[in-house]
Amino acid sequence: MRSVIVIGAGAAGLTAAGYLVRNGFKVTVLEKNAFPGGRCAAFDKDGHRFDIGATLFMMPQVYERTFSELGRSLRGELELQRLDPVYRLYYPDGQRLDFTSDLMKMQTQLEKIEPGSFGPFLKYMERSMRAYRISMKHIIDRNFDHVFQFLNPSSLYRLMRLNAFGDHYRTSGGYFSNENLRAAFTFQNIYVGQNPFHAPAIFSMLPFMELTDGVFFPAGGMNRISEKLEDIAVKNGAEIRYRTEVIRIPVSENRVKGVILSDDSFLQADIVLANADLPYVYRELLPPGRALRRIQRLGYTCSALVFHWGMDTLLPGLEQHNIYVSKNYRENISEVFDGSGIAVEPSFYVHSPARGDRTAAPERQDSISVIVPVGYLRDGREYDWEKVRRDARETVLKRLAWEGLPDLEKHIKFEKVYTPPLWQNLFNLSRGATFGSLNHNLMQMGYFRPHNQHSRYRNLFFAGGSTHPGNGVPLALISARLAQEKIRQQFS
């Protein structure tokens, strides 16, 4: 029986452990924190529950396949509620848009904002559908063993047809002239940590996925996904050790030997699968080398300043997911990604799970999370995070008051704030980049994304948001399946 050590009990680590233990491997999962799930986790306080990171349950077919291959039924394990509208967008000119799968409602709203825009919307959805299907089949849901599997005449033709080499925002301008609508169909890049004005146009697939596959929410919160994956792994024979930190991966020639823990003890393994942040593994756990120098030059996602508020009242008028688009949208986004990292008047997102799941807060109360995009941590740049927190908080409260929610501050019972340094320390996320941590430009996709098997240490594998295929919980689940496929092919 081959032994596998999995570093990290995130969604990808738990999923890989479930696959491997069901296929005859002896699996031990080591997690430095006291809870499963990584950023797909939650915390509770005074009857309020908050999702730490992920809040959108998308691509349900990926979850269904994963649970089925692990011997469970998704619908039998999780109680899922489909959300419609997916979210509500609030614009600084007072307009609102409910992003809904109801085509009649969508038509009414779109025509009101930009007369004649419903027809282009349908064409945009058709384009998004093609981007989604081609991306899943040829880029996302497969392993790449050599570059010509990714770059060949047929794949280049597909990428050209999708205008994948263009940027998403400019492509949306071929369908909508109204800036509010262009923002509505491109801001989704932000919740995978990308700049909508630089992201490849292939990400037009995101709004299609939301409106057709649907966005759901599991009763009990997104952490229920991690808890179920943990249960599957343990009941199939995996061992999970919490509060167990790996500080080094010792190597010998072209193999890793196991791991060294923070108490200096050594655990031997035939195979190591790292679900920890990939740049962190190369920088902190492995000997330095040429691969590390390349990874340090890669592009990173943005980070996020997150406020969790326990409210003593249920806030009126909110949907579960709410997007507040700022004035000078482009300038403020550019400031986050290309400037100081801190926008003066940022766009932000508000999550209120108590709308559809009353277990998220005490009766007639609310659990509110506010996510404000900020830049990742850069060398040589220092921030006064307490001042950043105060300024962002004031901006958010002022905007919410203008949108019809005055005097919120007096209803906040308690507050917990996640800053980029906290993301970095709690989850070992390089540069505090919350979303994965590497971004998805064309040179960091497919074969060109850091591989899920080390090029020198051939018994070291990777799963999670910073390896192939990318970030977000569904892609983390796919990364786990792809990594374990390689392990089984080479070591079974």
Side-chain angles (χ1 to χ4, degrees):
M1 182 179 287
R2 298 275 192 172
S3 61
V4 182
I5 285 177
V6 178
I7 304 174
L14 294 170
T15 301
Y19 275 114
L20 291 168
V21 76
R22 283 172 57 84
N23 283 279
F25 292 84
K26 181 183 178 182
V27 179
T28 303
V29 182
L30 307 176
E31 168 57 53
K32 83 181 194 77
N33 291 313
F35 52 86
R39 284 159 291 150
C40 189
F43 74 89
D44 296 89
K45 182 175 181 180
D46 300 340
H48 296 265
R49 186 191 70 244
F50 302 91
D51 291 305
I52 291 176
T55 60
L56 293 165
F57 187 106
M58 296 173 60
M59 303 175 71
Q61 72 280 5
V62 173
Y63 292 90
E64 288 168 354
R65 175 179 179 177
T66 301
F67 275 77
S68 176
E69 291 178 345
L70 294 176
R72 301 282 183 92
S73 162
L74 173 66
R75 304 287 173 163
E77 296 295 321
L78 296 173
E79 180 186 339
L80 296 174
Q81 177 187 358
R82 181 164 182 168
L83 303 179
D84 196 64
V86 174
Y87 37 74
R88 176 171 291 159
L89 291 112
Y90 298 79
Y91 296 103
D93 59 5
Q95 288 186 326
R96 296 182 181 183
L97 174 65
D98 283 351
F99 213 67
T100 173
S101 299
D102 186 321
L103 286 180
M104 293 185 67
K105 290 181 180 177
M106 202 66 168
Q107 181 177 15
T108 300
Q109 295 180 98
L110 294 177
E111 293 292 335
K112 183 178 179 181
I113 296 173
E114 181 183 332
S117 62
F118 184 67
F121 159 74
L122 296 177
K123 293 179 181 178
Y124 188 81
M125 286 294 100
E126 191 274 334
R127 183 191 192 286
S128 300
M129 176 189 69
R130 287 189 288 113
Y132 176 46
R133 290 180 175 175
I134 290 173
S135 300
M136 283 297 293
K137 181 177 180 179
H138 298 286
I139 300 176
I140 295 172
D141 200 16
R142 59 163 298 173
N143 276 310
F144 293 95
D145 298 316
H146 55 80
V147 67
F148 295 111
Q149 290 177 324
F150 184 62
L151 288 183
N152 54 65
S154 59
S155 67
L156 289 172
Y157 173 70
R158 285 189 292 266
L159 291 172
M160 292 294 290
R161 282 187 63 199
L162 293 172
N163 189 29
F165 300 105
D167 74 61
H168 192 182
Y169 196 84
R170 185 178 295 114
T171 298
S172 72
Y175 299 86
F176 310 106
S177 59
N178 182 277
E179 290 296 317
N180 286 352
L181 293 188
R182 293 179 70 180
F185 289 92
T186 59
F187 87 90
Q188 296 87 353
N189 289 280
I190 298 174
Y191 59 65
V192 291
Q194 298 193 119
N195 185 338
F197 299 97
H198 295 165
I202 199 169
F203 284 93
S204 63
M205 64 182 176
L206 293 173
F208 170 80
M209 290 158 48
E210 293 172 335
L211 295 179
T212 55
D213 290 350
V215 172
F216 297 78
F217 193 73
M222 292 291 287
N223 61 295
R224 294 291 292 155
I225 301 165
S226 303
E227 291 170 359
K228 292 296 183 181
L229 293 171
E230 175 196 44
D231 180 68
I232 291 169
V234 170
K235 287 186 176 176
N236 279 281
E239 178 188 4
I240 302 180
R241 303 186 194 177
Y242 292 104
R243 298 186 177 90
T244 304
E245 184 173 7
V246 174
I247 62 169
R248 189 156 59 88
I249 301 175
V251 303
S252 176
E253 296 183 351
N254 64 342
R255 298 180 63 80
V256 300
K257 298 188 291 184
V259 298
I260 294 176
L261 306 181
S262 56
D263 62 1
D264 291 326
S265 61
F266 169 69
L267 297 181
Q268 185 276 333
D270 298 311
I271 301 155
V272 173
L273 173 63
N275 178 216
D277 179 56
L278 183 143
Y280 172 83
V281 174
Y282 275 86
R283 187 180 66 252
E284 301 293 340
L285 304 186
L286 290 170
R290 185 170 54 187
L292 173 60
R293 292 193 292 272
R294 174 184 175 270
I295 284 172
Q296 288 178 325
R297 293 194 299 267
L298 295 177
Y300 286 77
T301 68
C302 68
S303 187
L305 186 67
V306 182
F307 299 89
H308 297 294
W309 293 335
M311 311 294 297
D312 66 8
T313 186
L314 187 66
L315 302 185
L318 292 178
E319 294 294 334
Q320 179 156 341
H321 303 295
N322 307 269
I323 310 295
Y324 295 84
V325 180
S326 68
K327 294 179 182 177
N328 303 315
Y329 175 65
R330 180 189 290 267
E331 289 79 2
N332 281 291
I333 291 294
S334 296
E335 192 64 32
V336 169
F337 287 91
D338 306 318
S340 69
I342 310 297
V344 175
E345 187 179 348
S347 299
F348 59 91
Y349 159 80
V350 172
H351 185 220
S352 177
R355 294 293 171 277
D357 182 3
R358 286 308 312 159
T359 67
E363 188 175 357
R364 295 190 295 275
Q365 297 186 28
D366 228 334
S367 299
I368 297 294
S369 297
V370 180
I371 301 179
V372 181
V374 297
Y376 63 79
L377 300 174
R378 298 175 186 264
D379 295 335
R381 181 178 291 175
E382 298 293 332
Y383 293 103
D384 180 348
W385 286 109
E386 178 57 29
K387 181 180 186 304
V388 172
R389 182 199 68 81
R390 287 197 309 270
D391 292 348
R393 190 178 193 270
E394 181 180 349
T395 299
V396 167
L397 291 173
K398 183 178 179 181
R399 175 66 185 273
L400 292 176
W402 186 81
E403 295 286 357
L405 294 171
D407 304 320
L408 279 190
E409 189 160 19
K410 70 180 184 183
H411 294 290
I412 299 175
K413 297 158 56 179
F414 62 85
E415 174 181 275
K416 185 169 184 177
V417 184
Y418 283 69
T419 63
L422 181 58
W423 291 115
Q424 180 173 257
N425 295 331
L426 184 59
F427 297 114
N428 291 335
L429 289 171
S430 299
R431 302 184 182 275
T434 314
F435 298 91
S437 56
L438 299 177
N439 69 25
H440 292 90
N441 63 55
L442 281 175
M443 295 307 295
Q444 292 179 199
M445 292 171 57
Y447 178 82
F448 296 116
R449 197 163 182 82
H451 297 178
N452 56 10
Q453 183 176 13
H454 198 283
S455 60
R456 178 179 177 183
Y457 310 119
R458 301 303 288 170
N459 61 335
L460 173 59
F461 297 82
F462 300 91
S466 291
T467 187
H468 176 65
N471 59 38
V473 179
L475 298 197
L477 302 185
I478 293 174
S479 81
R481 179 170 53 77
L482 296 178
Q484 65 86 31
E485 279 182 5
K486 282 193 172 182
I487 292 172
R488 289 168 58 195
Q489 289 167 1
Q490 298 176 34
F491 292 93
S492 288

